[in-house]
């Protein structure tokens, strides 16, 4: 099974008295086999769709009046099973494991889970809607008097309405641009909603560590090595895996650990006429002896797929989209569907890699703390990025246990001996070529030319240098309106048209 049984859903939960929803397919961008969600409980009725790996997969699991829907997967299952005890011995799916966990621990059991998931659990008239620690399977809801609508993509909730929206927003939720009434459940949250009543409350199931630990070099290197190795192994199954490989430290670490765990690893590297990291990636692929592909696309054709990136990430932040666009283009180019993809994405956030020029430890630690407070809602690791091409992506560096270690390391272990990300470089030094271990960081937006090509297209259209960031955000917002708020298919939105539209506005063309 290359991916989880269920990867996304769009459902409605109403009181038993409600008529079931019409069963039109939701406009989810993720690709999968739609299976109906139909549950008639004592108090609540579920209806809608889930995206499954097979039409024979049941969308929900129920026992003792509790019903569970889980999109995504759990890691560290063996330890979780042991914690749950005999009740977990007969379970086969992650949804059943979550159900067994709930039956033993109740709602607080959600605090035990290390995974990549979005979950819905109902018991009585309460619906609990939960994200993983990092919110990597995005989760949106719209509440009405009669029921709630919950989906893993905001666009699935565009247009529809479930009666009057209660005045207060549920706690620990955020807004979604252009979609009034739709709320995004924050990362590491279990939100309880009483169906048909305005009451809602939320608990945090995880927070980024705020303390810092002072370990010896040897201990820090040993722990980083061990926890990352575990996270990679937890993300493998018996099949082959694809690693998007830049030849930088992060993706190379993931590839070598997956290989070391016995997986059949394939690597793929993306480049454009504006830049590539092919040479660096080749060094690693040859070192590992894995099948490696180079995928070359024209820079302008990369940018033309921006509507796909916006539709997948459902964000308007152009800077983040410059990181995500090359990945979306790459996932669309990976041959076939149903690949399990392990990326090095996210390593730079707890390790301060994006701040490689920040030498002072006080500053480094502060930017790391700020980034760990600010990731939520950027959807950088959204399952839809790969899901739109039918692939399941996962990020070992954002495994909960890895983050707990990396974030908490004192900054002097991250910048040390004149190097950035020192502790990771040291942990990988025996496993990767010297050139890879010492390679300076190059961001995907730099290496692929995503930033420079987009800038050049705007400059050629008459946008002044200082207006480029605003013009990029204006384009992202215009695209978002169409592919998210209006749920148009990304192919129906032309990058060139949006470019013309945005640059025709006098304020930008003449430079405000
Ligand atoms: P970067 O670290 O360059 O790339 C992220 C992952 O994308 C890599 O580990 C690799 O798996 C894949 N990748 C990158 N370039 C290529 C390529 N040319 N071909 C194939 N695969 C590639 C941005 C960044 O620099 O990405 N991501 C940061 C975090 C951004 C800041 N976010 C925040 N503060 N919330 C990161 O930590 O990865
Ligand atoms: Mg990186």
């Amino acid at each position: 099974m290359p991916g989880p049984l269920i990867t996304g859903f769009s459902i409605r939960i109403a009181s038993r008295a409600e008529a079931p929803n019409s069963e039109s397919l939701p406009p989810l961008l993720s690709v999968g086999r739609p299976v109906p969600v139909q549950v008639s409980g004592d108090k609540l009725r579920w209806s809608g769709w889930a995206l499954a790996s097979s039409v024979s997969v049941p969308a929900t699991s129920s026992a003792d009046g509790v019903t569970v829907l889980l999109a995504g997967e759990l890691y560290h299952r063996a330890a979780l099973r042991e914690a749950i005890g005999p009740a977990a011995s007969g379970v086969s799916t992650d949804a059943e494991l979550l159900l067994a966990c709930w039956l033993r621990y109740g709602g607080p059991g959600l605090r035990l889970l290390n995974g990549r998931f979005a979950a819905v659990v109902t018991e009585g008239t309460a619906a609990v809607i939960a994200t993983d620690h990092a919110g990597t399977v995005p989760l949106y809801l719209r509440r009405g008097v009669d029921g709630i609508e919950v989906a893993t993509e905001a666009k699935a909730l565009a247009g529809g309405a479930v009666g009057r929206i209660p005045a207060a927003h549920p706690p620990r939720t955020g807004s979604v641009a252009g979609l009034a009434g739709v709320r995004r459940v924050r990362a590491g949250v279990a939100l309880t909603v009483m169906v048909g009543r305005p009451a809602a409350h939320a608990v945090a199931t995880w927070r980024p560590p705020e303390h810092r630990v002072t370990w010896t070099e040897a201990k820090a290197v040993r722990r980083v090595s061990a926890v990352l190795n575990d996270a990679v192994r937890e993300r493998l199954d018996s099949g082959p895996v694809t690693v998007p490989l830049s030849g930088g430290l992060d993706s190379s670490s993931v590839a070598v650990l997956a290989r070391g765990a016995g997986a059949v690893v394939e690597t793929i590297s993306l480049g454009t006429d504006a830049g590539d990291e092919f040479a660096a990636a080749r060094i690693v692929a040859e070192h590992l002896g894995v099948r490696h592909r180079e995928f070359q696309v024209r820079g302008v054709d990369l940018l033309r797929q921006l509507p796909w990136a916006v539709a997948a990430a459902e964000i308007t932040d152009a800077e983040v989209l410059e990181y995500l666009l090359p990945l979306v283009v790459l996932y669309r180019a990976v041959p076939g569907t149903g690949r399990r993809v392990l990326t090095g994405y996210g390593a730079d956030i707890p390790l301060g890699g994006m701040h490689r020029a920040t030498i002072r430890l006080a500053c480094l630690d502060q930017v790391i703390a700020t980034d760990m407070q600010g990731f939520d809602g950027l959807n950088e690791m959204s399952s839809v990025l790969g899901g739109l091409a039918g692939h399941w992506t996962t990020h070992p560096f954002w495994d909960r246990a890895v983050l707990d270690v990396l974030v908490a390391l004192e900054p002097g272990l991250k910048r040390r001996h004149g190097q950035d990300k020192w502790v990771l470089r040291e942990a990988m030094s025996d496993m990767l070529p010297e050139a890879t271990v010492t390679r300076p960081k190059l961001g995907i937006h730099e290496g692929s030319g995503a930033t420079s090509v987009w800038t050049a297209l705007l400059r050629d259209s008459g946008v002044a240098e200082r207006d480029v960031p605003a013009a990029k955000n204006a384009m992202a917002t215009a695209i978002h309106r169409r592919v998210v708020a209006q749920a148009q298919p990304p192919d129906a939105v032309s990058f060139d048209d949006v470019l013309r539209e945005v640059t025709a506005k006098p304020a930008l063309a003449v430079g405000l």
Side-chain angles (χ1 to χ4, degrees), residues 250 344 347-348 421 441:
D250 310 336
D348 296 306
K421 301 204 276 192
K441 189 197 157 54

mmCIF file with all atom_site columns, all heavy atoms in Angstrom, residues 250 344 347-348 421 441, ligand 2:
data_model
loop_
_atom_site.group_PDB
_atom_site.id
_atom_site.type_symbol
_atom_site.label_atom_id
_atom_site.label_alt_id
_atom_site.label_comp_id
_atom_site.label_asym_id
_atom_site.label_entity_id
_atom_site.label_seq_id
_atom_site.pdbx_PDB_ins_code
_atom_site.Cartn_x
_atom_site.Cartn_y
_atom_site.Cartn_z
_atom_site.occupancy
_atom_site.B_iso_or_equiv
_atom_site.pdbx_formal_charge
_atom_site.auth_seq_id
_atom_site.auth_comp_id
_atom_site.auth_asym_id
_atom_site.auth_atom_id
_atom_site.pdbx_PDB_model_num
ATOM   1  N  N   . ASP A 1 250 ? 19.532 18.013 3.345  1.00 0.00 ? 250 ASP A N   1
ATOM   2  C  CA  . ASP A 1 250 ? 18.277 17.481 3.890  1.00 0.00 ? 250 ASP A CA  1
ATOM   3  C  C   . ASP A 1 250 ? 17.738 16.315 3.059  1.00 0.00 ? 250 ASP A C   1
ATOM   4  O  O   . ASP A 1 250 ? 17.435 15.246 3.588  1.00 0.00 ? 250 ASP A O   1
ATOM   5  C  CB  . ASP A 1 250 ? 17.216 18.584 3.978  1.00 0.00 ? 250 ASP A CB  1
ATOM   6  C  CG  . ASP A 1 250 ? 17.739 19.833 4.661  1.00 0.00 ? 250 ASP A CG  1
ATOM   7  O  OD1 . ASP A 1 250 ? 18.700 19.713 5.437  1.00 0.00 ? 250 ASP A OD1 1
ATOM   8  O  OD2 . ASP A 1 250 ? 17.202 20.920 4.400  1.00 0.00 ? 250 ASP A OD2 1
ATOM   9  N  N   . GLY A 1 344 ? 12.880 16.094 2.009  1.00 0.00 ? 344 GLY A N   1
ATOM   10 C  CA  . GLY A 1 344 ? 13.664 16.718 3.077  1.00 0.00 ? 344 GLY A CA  1
ATOM   11 C  C   . GLY A 1 344 ? 13.051 18.044 3.510  1.00 0.00 ? 344 GLY A C   1
ATOM   12 O  O   . GLY A 1 344 ? 13.663 18.790 4.277  1.00 0.00 ? 344 GLY A O   1
ATOM   13 N  N   . ALA A 1 347 ? 13.353 20.748 7.106  1.00 0.00 ? 347 ALA A N   1
ATOM   14 C  CA  . ALA A 1 347 ? 14.526 20.661 7.981  1.00 0.00 ? 347 ALA A CA  1
ATOM   15 C  C   . ALA A 1 347 ? 15.041 22.045 8.369  1.00 0.00 ? 347 ALA A C   1
ATOM   16 O  O   . ALA A 1 347 ? 15.553 22.252 9.477  1.00 0.00 ? 347 ALA A O   1
ATOM   17 C  CB  . ALA A 1 347 ? 15.640 19.892 7.278  1.00 0.00 ? 347 ALA A CB  1
ATOM   18 N  N   . ASP A 1 348 ? 14.909 22.977 7.455  1.00 0.00 ? 348 ASP A N   1
ATOM   19 C  CA  . ASP A 1 348 ? 15.484 24.304 7.699  1.00 0.00 ? 348 ASP A CA  1
ATOM   20 C  C   . ASP A 1 348 ? 14.725 25.103 8.741  1.00 0.00 ? 348 ASP A C   1
ATOM   21 O  O   . ASP A 1 348 ? 15.247 26.083 9.256  1.00 0.00 ? 348 ASP A O   1
ATOM   22 C  CB  . ASP A 1 348 ? 15.510 25.088 6.377  1.00 0.00 ? 348 ASP A CB  1
ATOM   23 C  CG  . ASP A 1 348 ? 16.424 24.415 5.377  1.00 0.00 ? 348 ASP A CG  1
ATOM   24 O  OD1 . ASP A 1 348 ? 17.584 24.184 5.730  1.00 0.00 ? 348 ASP A OD1 1
ATOM   25 O  OD2 . ASP A 1 348 ? 15.964 24.088 4.269  1.00 0.00 ? 348 ASP A OD2 1
ATOM   26 N  N   . LYS A 1 421 ? 23.534 24.394 10.396 1.00 0.00 ? 421 LYS A N   1
ATOM   27 C  CA  . LYS A 1 421 ? 22.971 23.040 10.538 1.00 0.00 ? 421 LYS A CA  1
ATOM   28 C  C   . LYS A 1 421 ? 24.054 22.030 10.941 1.00 0.00 ? 421 LYS A C   1
ATOM   29 O  O   . LYS A 1 421 ? 24.070 20.882 10.463 1.00 0.00 ? 421 LYS A O   1
ATOM   30 C  CB  . LYS A 1 421 ? 22.291 22.612 9.224  1.00 0.00 ? 421 LYS A CB  1
ATOM   31 C  CG  . LYS A 1 421 ? 21.160 23.543 8.805  1.00 0.00 ? 421 LYS A CG  1
ATOM   32 C  CD  . LYS A 1 421 ? 20.147 22.883 7.905  1.00 0.00 ? 421 LYS A CD  1
ATOM   33 C  CE  . LYS A 1 421 ? 20.548 22.876 6.474  1.00 0.00 ? 421 LYS A CE  1
ATOM   34 N  NZ  . LYS A 1 421 ? 19.446 22.484 5.570  1.00 0.00 ? 421 LYS A NZ  1
ATOM   35 N  N   . LYS A 1 441 ? 23.673 25.574 1.784  1.00 0.00 ? 441 LYS A N   1
ATOM   36 C  CA  . LYS A 1 441 ? 22.252 25.468 1.451  1.00 0.00 ? 441 LYS A CA  1
ATOM   37 C  C   . LYS A 1 441 ? 21.870 26.349 0.272  1.00 0.00 ? 441 LYS A C   1
ATOM   38 O  O   . LYS A 1 441 ? 22.310 27.483 0.147  1.00 0.00 ? 441 LYS A O   1
ATOM   39 C  CB  . LYS A 1 441 ? 21.396 25.877 2.649  1.00 0.00 ? 441 LYS A CB  1
ATOM   40 C  CG  . LYS A 1 441 ? 19.950 25.552 2.367  1.00 0.00 ? 441 LYS A CG  1
ATOM   41 C  CD  . LYS A 1 441 ? 18.957 26.224 3.234  1.00 0.00 ? 441 LYS A CD  1
ATOM   42 C  CE  . LYS A 1 441 ? 17.631 26.260 2.488  1.00 0.00 ? 441 LYS A CE  1
ATOM   43 N  NZ  . LYS A 1 441 ? 17.184 24.947 2.012  1.00 0.00 ? 441 LYS A NZ  1
HETATM 44 MG MG1 . LIG B 2 .   ? 16.224 21.912 2.639  1.00 0.00 ? 2   LIG B MG1 1
#
